[in-house]
Amino acid sequence: YIVIPAFEPGPGLRDRIREMRDRISAQIVVIDDGSGADHRETFDQLEEMENCTVLRHERNKGKGSALKTGFAYVLRQMTVQDRSAYEQSSAWILCADCDGQHLPDDGVRLLELSRRHPGSLILGVRDFSGPEVPWKSRFGNRFSSIVFRTLSGIYLEDTQTGFRAFDDSLLELMLGVPGERFEYETSVLLVCARQGIPVRTEKI
C-alpha cells in the first residue's frame, strides 16, 4: 500500500500518483484531509483510477490524522479475511507526500529494505550537506537531529522526512501513537526508539 495524505494539493497530483503506481505494484490510498470544494474534482479523478482509493475528511484534521486514517483502512482491508489468514499474511506500507518530492525509484528501494528488515521502520533521508541547500534548512535539520538524539539516544540524519516504509507488524503501533498534525511523525520516531523498534535509513 502507498499511503498519501493530501491537503489542498497542487496541480499534477494525478500524474505523480500514476508514475508511482506504474513503478510500484501497490494499492494507492489517498486521504483528502479536508481540502474543500475547490479540490473535489482532483480527488474525484483519483477515485476513477484503477487500484486507487480516496478517503475523505470533511474538515482538515492534520497530517497525523490523515496518515492514521490511511493505516486504519489498510488494517481493515487485511482483516476482511479471517484472523488466522491475517496473521499469516504480509503487507508493506509506503508513506509518501503529495507534492512530488518523493521519487518512485526511491520508494522501491525503501520497500525492498523493509522486506529485508521486517519489524523495522525505514526512513528515506535527504542530504542536507550540498552547497545548494539553504543554511536555514541545513541548520534546522541539524538542530532537530540533535534534539531528537537528546530525547531518544538515537541520532538520525533527517527526523522530518515523511517518506517512510514499514510492514504490517507495525500498523497497530502506528495507530496508537499520539499526535494529529506534523508532530505525529516525530512522535512515531520517539515511540520506536523507546520500544526498541529498529529505525533504518536510506538516502533518497
Side-chain angles (χ1 to χ4, degrees):
Y1 295 85
I2 302 175
V3 176
I4 303 175
F7 175 62
E8 298 182 352
L13 177 59
R14 182 172 57 171
D15 290 339
R16 291 192 293 271
I17 287 178
R18 184 180 291 113
E19 290 175 6
M20 188 76 76
R21 187 194 59 186
D22 290 347
R23 186 67 180 87
I24 303 171
S25 177
Q27 295 289 323
I28 309 292
V29 182
V30 180
I31 302 90
D32 170 12
D33 188 26
S35 299
D38 290 345
H39 298 270
R40 182 169 297 278
E41 183 179 358
T42 296
F43 293 104
D44 288 345
Q45 292 173 347
L46 293 178
E47 277 190 313
E48 296 174 359
M49 293 177 61
E50 186 177 3
N51 296 328
C52 185
T53 297
V54 176
L55 309 174
R56 300 178 190 260
H57 289 170
E58 290 302 315
R59 58 178 179 82
N60 178 252
K61 295 183 177 181
K63 188 177 183 182
S65 288
L67 286 168
K68 284 190 270 191
T69 293
F71 300 157
Y73 172 82
V74 173
L75 194 58
R76 287 196 302 272
Q77 292 299 108
M78 295 186 63
T79 54
V80 167
Q81 306 170 7
D82 61 63
R83 186 67 186 177
S84 60
Y86 164 64
E87 290 174 346
Q88 296 171 12
S89 66
S90 293
W92 288 267
I93 298 89
L94 177 69
C95 302
D97 290 343
C98 71
D99 56 8
Q101 66 172 317
H102 297 151
L103 303 180
D105 285 347
D106 287 333
V108 169
R109 291 191 293 111
L110 296 187
L111 287 168
E112 288 176 348
L113 194 59
S114 181
R115 289 189 179 96
R116 294 201 304 270
H117 300 281
S120 298
L121 175 63
I122 312 300
L123 305 181
V125 299
R126 300 160 290 181
D127 184 1
F128 287 87
S129 63
E132 75 284 355
V133 178
W135 72 268
K136 287 184 179 180
S137 297
R138 188 181 298 112
F139 174 80
N141 178 72
R142 175 71 171 168
F143 180 76
S144 64
S145 294
I146 292 172
V147 170
F148 183 79
R149 181 173 60 183
T150 301
L151 294 173
S152 69
I154 298 174
Y155 181 80
L156 295 173
E157 300 169 73
D158 184 1
T159 62
Q160 306 302 308
T161 178
F163 208 17
R164 304 177 175 197
F166 56 92
D167 63 54
D168 55 20
S169 69
L170 297 183
L171 269 175
E172 292 184 358
L173 178 141
M174 295 295 177
L175 285 166
V177 172
E180 306 301 322
R181 297 190 177 273
F182 285 105
E183 81 281 359
Y184 169 75
E185 291 176 312
T186 301
S187 296
V188 166
L189 299 180
L190 288 170
V191 169
C192 287
R194 290 166 182 167
Q195 296 193 17
I197 294 168
V199 179
R200 302 176 184 274
T201 62
E202 177 76 4
K203 289 285 189 181
I204 58 173

